[in-house]
């Protein structure tokens, strides 16, 4: 019986824990206990892990939704990964290396990972790497990915949506992961195009910042549609430029155009970017005021992408992605966004 562990406990990690916990509870293929790695913090004078294990609710990141009692919060990443056959990674991308270090050399032989993480990793010697490659290199295990139009609150509420798993072994590991994740309201498609799925998950957050800027400037739906179209084209171009073999069809899965639409209308990157334009406050301050300890990943991902584009001499070929970065660091005003993408 395969044992599932979840590495991360934010709103998306907790929503996934609800799905996984319920799916494995009465399964004859999976161990019923699911460990969930929780970065310990104090909430109302109590440890978050303690609250989760006694109240079976993540009152900070996903309040109002019960977590199955077979999901056990642990505060040591190495302990969370012990004896696990499947490691489901779902935490901010900048914390991946720190969470993986205690697991090095200790992961069960034959284990696999499923990354739900959206972003890139800046390499010490320059350049950027996909998060799936970072996990693979650090732990020596095969890594699949899952991305889609999946706002955590709506998934937790059981509202119908789709997601896309990318896996080298579609018929074997891919179908096993589908059993772990799929419900009657959360439908999973499995394809082979891992890198394209992961690129979509990272770059759509940058485009969502641009969409939020458009909303903040009150430019209307036509302008927002144009920004989304240009953003999608740059996502496709980025995948073709840096990861040969990328399939255009992948962009029409939930991980592609659907996730882009959802994020540009309902995600945290869009909301913070709109408030950034309307209030004049910094994005960091707005994160603290609006996200209850969570982070928007668009500006950091834009910085990582800008680094890669600059190293490869590609800045002129990705005007939207570049403009978002320059606005986030204060080189351009939000009002200059449209000027950057007119040509």
């Amino acid at each position: 019986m395969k044992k599932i562990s979840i590495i991360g406990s934010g709103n998306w990690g907790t929503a996934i824990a609800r799905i996984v916990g319920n799916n494995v509870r009465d399964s004859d293929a999976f161990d019923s206990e699911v460990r969930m790695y929780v970065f310990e913090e104090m909430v109302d004078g109590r440890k978050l892990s303690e609250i989760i294990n006694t109240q079976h609710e993540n009152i900070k990141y996903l309040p109002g939704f019960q977590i199955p009692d077979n999901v056990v919060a642990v505060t040591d990443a190495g302990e969370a990964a012990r004896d696990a056959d499947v490691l489901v990674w779902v935490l901010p991308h900048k914390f991946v290396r720190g969470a993986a270090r205690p697991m090095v050399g200790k992961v069960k032989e034959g284990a696999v990972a499923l990354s739900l993480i959206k972003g890139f990793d800046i390499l010490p010697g320059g350049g950027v790497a996909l998060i799936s490659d970072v996990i693979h290199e650090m732990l020596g295990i095969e890594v699949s990915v899952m991305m889609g139009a999946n706002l955590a609150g709506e998934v937790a509420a059981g509202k119908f949506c789709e997601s896309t798993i990318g896996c080298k072994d579609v018929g074997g590991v891919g179908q096993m992961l589908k059993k772990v994740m799929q419900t009657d309201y959360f439908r999973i498609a499995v394809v082979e195009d891992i890198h394209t799925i992961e690129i979509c998950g990272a770059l759509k957050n940058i485009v969502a910042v641009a969409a939020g800027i458009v909303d903040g400037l009150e430019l209307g739906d036509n302008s927002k549609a144009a920004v989304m179209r240009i953003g999608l084209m740059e996502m496709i171009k980025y995948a073709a430029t840096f990861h040969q073999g990328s399939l255009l069809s992948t962009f029409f899965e939930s991980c592609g155009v659907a996730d882009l639409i959802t994020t540009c209308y309902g995600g945290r990157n869009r909301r913070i970017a709109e408030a950034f334009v309307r209030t004049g406050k910094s994005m960091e301050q707005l994160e603290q005021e609006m996200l209850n300890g969570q982070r928007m990943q668009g500006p950091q991902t834009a910085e990582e992408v800008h680094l890669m584009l600059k190293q490869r001499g590609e800045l002129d070929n990705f005007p939207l992605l570049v403009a978002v970065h320059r606005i986030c660091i204060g080189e351009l005003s939000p009002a200059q966004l449209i000027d950057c993408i007119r040509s």
Side-chain angles (χ1 to χ4, degrees):
M1 297 179 71
K2 295 187 181 297
K3 189 169 185 62
I4 315 298
S5 291
I6 298 171
I7 311 302
S9 57
N11 65 342
W12 187 214
T14 305
I16 288 298
R18 283 168 46 83
I19 289 175
V20 174
N22 285 322
N23 279 353
V24 305
R25 185 194 293 276
D26 300 315
S27 171
D28 57 4
F30 301 101
D31 191 304
S32 62
E33 182 185 82
V34 177
R35 294 196 195 105
M36 178 170 69
Y37 167 59
V38 175
F39 179 78
E40 192 68 280
E41 54 188 306
M42 302 301 291
V43 181
D44 297 332
R46 297 178 62 194
K47 294 179 179 179
L48 181 58
S49 62
E50 209 172 80
I51 295 169
I52 292 172
N53 286 334
T54 55
Q55 294 180 209
H56 306 294
E57 181 184 357
N58 189 334
I59 64 172
K60 180 166 185 180
Y61 295 113
L62 197 68
F65 294 98
Q66 284 290 294
I67 302 170
D69 58 12
N70 57 321
V71 176
V72 179
V74 297
T75 58
D76 180 89
E79 174 62 18
R82 180 173 57 84
D83 298 328
D85 297 282
V86 180
L87 298 172
V88 180
W89 288 79
V90 53
L91 75 178
H93 66 283
K94 70 175 185 176
F95 298 133
V96 169
R97 289 187 179 274
R101 286 189 192 101
M103 305 178 192
V104 174
K106 301 176 183 178
V107 174
K108 182 178 180 179
E109 184 177 354
V112 297
L114 178 65
S115 172
L116 282 60
I117 298 170
K118 299 175 178 180
F120 298 109
D121 181 70
I122 297 179
L123 298 174
V128 300
L130 296 173
I131 298 300
S132 61
D133 290 337
V134 173
I135 296 171
H136 172 71
E137 290 167 10
M138 292 189 71
L139 302 183
I141 60 178
E142 287 299 319
V143 184
S144 300
V145 300
M146 187 175 86
M147 311 281 166
N150 309 139
L151 297 179
E154 294 182 12
V155 173
K159 297 179 179 179
F160 176 77
C161 62
E162 303 172 309
S163 199
T164 312
I165 288 177
C167 181
K168 290 182 179 179
D169 180 11
V170 170
V173 173
Q175 294 307 307
M176 181 270 290
L177 295 174
K178 182 174 180 176
K179 288 180 181 178
V180 173
M181 291 296 170
Q182 182 162 272
T183 72
D184 57 353
Y185 63 86
F186 190 61
R187 310 304 292 171
I188 305 294
V190 184
V191 301
E192 292 185 28
D193 196 3
I194 297 174
H195 287 167
T196 303
I197 294 173
E198 197 165 2
I199 288 168
C200 286
L203 297 186
K204 57 95 179 183
N205 284 329
I206 306 176
V207 182
V209 172
I213 290 170
V214 169
D215 287 341
L217 294 171
E218 299 183 357
L219 296 180
D221 289 337
N222 291 344
S223 295
K224 189 169 180 177
V227 163
M228 292 169 64
R229 185 199 68 80
I230 293 168
L232 177 61
M233 294 304 295
E234 291 192 15
M235 289 166 60
I236 294 170
K237 185 186 296 185
Y238 186 98
T241 301
F242 296 108
H243 293 277
Q244 292 185 355
S246 173
L247 300 177
L248 183 62
S249 60
T250 305
F251 289 91
F252 296 94
E253 298 287 348
S254 181
C255 62
V257 66
D259 196 8
L260 178 66
I261 293 169
T262 296
T263 308
C264 286
Y265 277 92
R268 70 185 73 161
N269 289 278
R270 188 215 64 80
R271 290 191 291 116
I272 296 292
E274 179 182 10
F276 167 71
V277 176
R278 293 187 184 276
T279 67
K281 296 179 180 179
S282 70
M283 291 187 181
E284 292 79 6
Q285 182 180 350
L286 290 166
E287 281 182 331
Q288 294 174 5
E289 294 178 1
M290 298 172 62
L291 297 184
N292 192 31
Q294 298 182 85
R295 300 293 303 273
M296 62 183 295
Q297 294 183 290
Q300 186 174 353
T301 305
E303 180 181 4
E304 294 155 0
V305 168
H306 188 271
L307 173 65
M308 174 68 88
L309 296 178
K310 186 175 182 179
Q311 287 182 336
R312 300 291 184 88
E314 293 281 351
L315 290 175
D316 292 340
N317 293 324
F318 296 86
L320 179 64
L321 301 181
V322 171
V324 170
H325 170 67
R326 295 183 66 194
I327 291 169
C328 288
I329 64 173
E331 282 188 5
L332 296 175
S333 71
Q336 293 176 280
L337 173 67
I338 300 301
D339 289 338
C340 293
I341 61 174
R342 283 184 192 276
S343 60

